[in-house]
Amino acid sequence: MKVIVCIKQVPDTKGGVQFNPDGTLNRGAMLSIMNPDDKAGLEAALRLKDEYGAEVTVLTMGLPKAADVLQEAIAMGADKGVLVTDRVLGGADTWATSTTIAGALRKLEYDLIITGRQAIDGDTAQVGPQIAEHLGLPVISYAQEIKVDGDSVIVKRQYDDGYHMLKAKMPCLITALSELNEPRYMTPGGIFDAVNAEITTFGRADLVDVDDSNIGLKGSPTKIAKASDKVRKGAGEKVVPDSPEDAVNYIVGKLCEKHVI
Ligand SMILES: Cc1cc2nc3c(=O)[nH]c(=O)nc-3n(C[C@H](O)[C@H](O)[C@H](O)COP(=O)(O)OP(=O)(O)OC[C@H]3O[C@@H](n4cnc5c(N)ncnc54)[C@H](O)[C@@H]3O)c2cc1C
């Protein structure tokens, strides 16, 4: 069984978010981490490796430094890494990103593709389902539990007020939630393997069935019209009424004042 996990290197937003003057993220000024949903997806793949001997490949698209996230994944137990990087791929929106990743996946063998539900920087949750659409695969999103049953996967899918139990024949794509599991730590042996691990690099020429009009900034239909900080709300007003009647009168007065009622 061959599993490919798509991993995005994202800025660590815990220490605050830094912006460039044009409103884009200043990625260089922030530490980079493995996207949390993707780490859970990787852990799920590693459990399939432990249980069924699955081969786990991790794939990322990004700048050459995104290779770090592949090495971290190999130190956790992944077998191989694929870095998709090329100048012409820069500035990609979700459409161009998923087109590119699908083009790279066409060059690889897989039974199961796992992506995170969403990346903590772009936050769109579009890339996983878009990849499935490009490749003509069934997709199960919001996975909280993944089991293999012969040539199918059975997935517990988080839903608003409950769960769906879904079965899909492989090959298929699953998007993982960070609640899926507790990812393992890197092992000393794994770190040693990661240093010597071979990471395959794909450039534009390696992408299969991908048109130039669908890659990079030029192939990105999403245009950012404006980016701005959120206006912070004020501290609010604290009122201690003498009685419930006073409280009601006060609230009704305020609502009338603002023409809400
Ligand atoms: C005009 C424009 C230009 C942009 N330019 C850049 C840029 O130059 N550099 C940049 O980093 N971002 C850029 N972005 C942001 C970029 O579009 C998104 O971050 C990217 O397309 C993924 O979308 P997302 O983060 O919402 O991912 P989601 O759809 O939320 O991600 C879902 C899952 O898809 C997988 N995935 C997503 N992206 C990748 C990836 N790169 N590699 C592997 N797996 C992935 C992961 O498993 C992830 O959990 C740009 C956006 C726009 C609109």
Side-chain angles (χ1 to χ4, degrees), residues 78 187 213 249:
T187 61
S213 61
N249 290 336

Side-chain angles (χ1 to χ4, degrees), residues 6-9 27 35 37-38 59-62 90-95 97 101 114-128 131 217 220 222-224:
C6 297
I7 293 181
K8 186 176 183 190
Q9 192 182 45
R27 292 171 191 270
N35 182 52
D37 282 347
D38 306 357
L59 179 146
T60 193
M61 167 188 162
D93 69 357
T94 61
W95 171 256
T97 300
I101 292 176
I114 302 180
T115 72
R117 170 207 31 193
Q118 80 191 61
I120 57 169
D121 55 349
D123 240 3
T124 66
Q126 292 174 355
V127 172
I131 294 172
L217 187 60
S220 295
T222 319
K223 305 290 172 223
I224 300 173

Side-chain angles (χ1 to χ4, degrees), residues 219-235:
S220 295
T222 319
K223 305 290 172 223
I224 300 173
K226 192 180 165 197
S228 59
D229 283 339
K230 269 191 185 167
V231 179
R232 285 184 188 277
K233 286 189 178 163

Side-chain angles (χ1 to χ4, degrees), residues 96-253:
T97 300
S98 63
T99 304
T100 301
I101 292 176
L105 287 166
R106 285 190 193 99
K107 216 177 147 82
L108 301 167
E109 286 178 18
Y110 54 80
D111 300 293
L112 180 64
I113 299 168
I114 302 180
T115 72
R117 170 207 31 193
Q118 80 191 61
I120 57 169
D121 55 349
D123 240 3
T124 66
Q126 292 174 355
V127 172
Q130 284 179 358
I131 294 172
E133 186 66 25
H134 291 308
L135 298 176
L137 299 177
V139 58
I140 302 180
S141 53
Y142 290 69
Q144 272 223 317
E145 208 176 279
I146 304 172
K147 289 204 169 87
V148 172
D149 179 22
D151 61 355
S152 301
V153 281
I154 298 175
V155 177
K156 184 175 176 185
R157 177 183 190 271
Q158 194 186 74
Y159 202 61
D160 274 355
D161 51 359
Y163 298 99
H164 285 160
M165 293 303 294
L166 298 172
K167 191 171 182 177
K169 251 202 164 109
M170 292 186 273
C172 65
L173 186 146
I174 293 174
T175 78
L177 295 177
S178 51
E179 297 94 297
L180 179 64
N181 50 43
E182 189 65 43
R184 65 193 68 186
Y185 289 105
M186 295 182 271
T187 61
I191 293 169
F192 189 74
D193 289 348
V195 173
N196 297 308
E198 194 188 318
I199 290 181
T200 308
T201 302
F202 285 179
R204 165 69 186 102
D206 296 296
L207 305 179
V208 179
D209 282 345
V210 171
D211 195 86
D212 279 340
S213 61
N214 289 318
I215 57 167
L217 187 60
K218 282 190 188 154
S220 295
T222 319
K223 305 290 172 223
I224 300 173
K226 192 180 165 197
S228 59
D229 283 339
K230 269 191 185 167
V231 179
R232 285 184 188 277
K233 286 189 178 163
E237 187 186 340
K238 197 171 179 181
V239 181
V240 187
D242 292 332
S243 66
E245 287 77 20
D246 281 354
V248 170
N249 290 336
Y250 180 83
I251 292 168
V252 170

